Amino acid sequence: MGVVELLGVAASVSLLAGWRLYLCVFATGLAMRTGWIELPQHLSSLDALANPWVIGVAGIGLIAEFLADKIAIVDSIWDAIHTLIRPVGGALLAMAIVDASDPAWQVASLLLGGGATLLTHGAKAGARAVVNTSPEPFSNVVVSTGEDVASAGLLYAALANPVAAVAIAVLLILTAVALLLMVRRLLKKLLGPEARPAPE
C-alpha cells in the first residue's frame, strides 16, 4: 500500500470515528478477527482491535451509542461526553494504521487523526443539536439512522479499498465543513441583531 492510500485509510477511519467511534473499533476488529474483509498487510498493527475483549467492549459501546443517538437531547449529552473520547480514539486508530517504525509518522498521524475526528465530531454534534430543535421526534431517528448506514458503508469501503479511502476522506472533510458552515449560518440567523444586546 502506498503512502497516499495509507493516509487515506487512516484519514477515513479517523473521520468516521467522529461519527461512530465504537462502530469503527468494532467493525475493524471484527473484520480482522473473522477475515470478513481482507485488510491490507500493513494494517496488521491493528491486531489489538481483533482481541475478543476489545471487540466486546466496542460492541457494548456500539449498542449504547446506537440507542442513545436515537433519543433527542440524550444524543446531545452523549456527544458532549464524547467530545473528549472520540478525538482520542480517532487519533489512536490513525496512529495504529500508519508505519509504527517511524516516530515522526506516528506523531503526525496522532495529531492529524485527532484533529480529523474532532472536525467530524463537531459537525455531527452541531447538526444534531439543530435537529433536536425540531418539535417532532422522527427527524432525530432518521438522521441517526442515516449516520449509521453512511458510517458502516463508508467504513467498509475504506477498509476494503484503500484507493477509495482517499476519496472517502475528502468527501467526509467536505461534508463536515459544509455542516459546520450550515450550523454557523443557522446560529447567526437565530441569534440575529435583535438577539444581541445593544451597545451602550
Side-chain angles (χ1 to χ4, degrees):
M1 183 180 344
V3 173
V4 173
E5 292 89 354
L6 185 62
L7 291 175
V9 171
S12 294
V13 172
S14 295
L15 289 160
L16 287 167
W19 285 354
R20 297 285 187 266
L21 172 63
Y22 300 107
L23 172 66
C24 289
V25 174
F26 179 81
T28 304
L30 193 63
M32 293 177 70
R33 183 109 180 132
T34 62
W36 177 53
I37 298 173
E38 185 154 340
L39 295 174
Q41 188 64 30
H42 186 78
L43 295 184
S44 63
S45 61
L46 293 174
D47 281 343
L49 298 178
N51 182 300
W53 284 101
V54 174
I55 293 171
V57 169
I60 291 168
L62 173 61
I63 292 167
E65 183 167 55
F66 179 82
L67 296 173
D69 213 46
K70 304 292 184 272
I71 303 166
I73 307 305
V74 173
D75 68 330
S76 292
I77 294 168
W78 183 268
D79 285 340
I81 293 168
H82 282 79
T83 298
L84 299 174
I85 298 170
R86 284 185 185 138
V88 172
L92 292 174
L93 282 169
M95 191 174 77
I97 291 171
V98 301
D99 187 4
S101 65
D102 187 349
W105 275 103
Q106 288 283 311
V107 171
S109 66
L110 182 75
L111 295 172
L112 293 174
T117 305
L118 186 60
L119 172 71
T120 52
H121 168 71
K124 173 199 184 296
R128 293 303 290 280
V130 171
V131 171
N132 284 343
T133 63
S134 175
E136 45 75 33
F138 302 109
S139 58
N140 201 48
V141 174
V142 169
V143 171
S144 176
T145 303
E147 289 172 0
D148 293 334
V149 171
S151 297
L154 292 172
L155 180 62
Y156 174 81
L159 292 174
N161 186 349
V163 175
V166 176
I168 289 167
V170 170
L171 173 71
L172 289 170
I173 290 170
L174 293 175
T175 301
V177 170
L179 279 171
L180 286 170
L181 291 173
M182 286 176 12
V183 168
R184 179 177 176 245
R185 194 172 304 128
L186 189 71
L187 286 174
K188 274 186 169 183
K189 187 183 280 187
L190 290 172
L191 304 172
E194 64 279 350
R196 293 186 190 131
E200 295 180 23

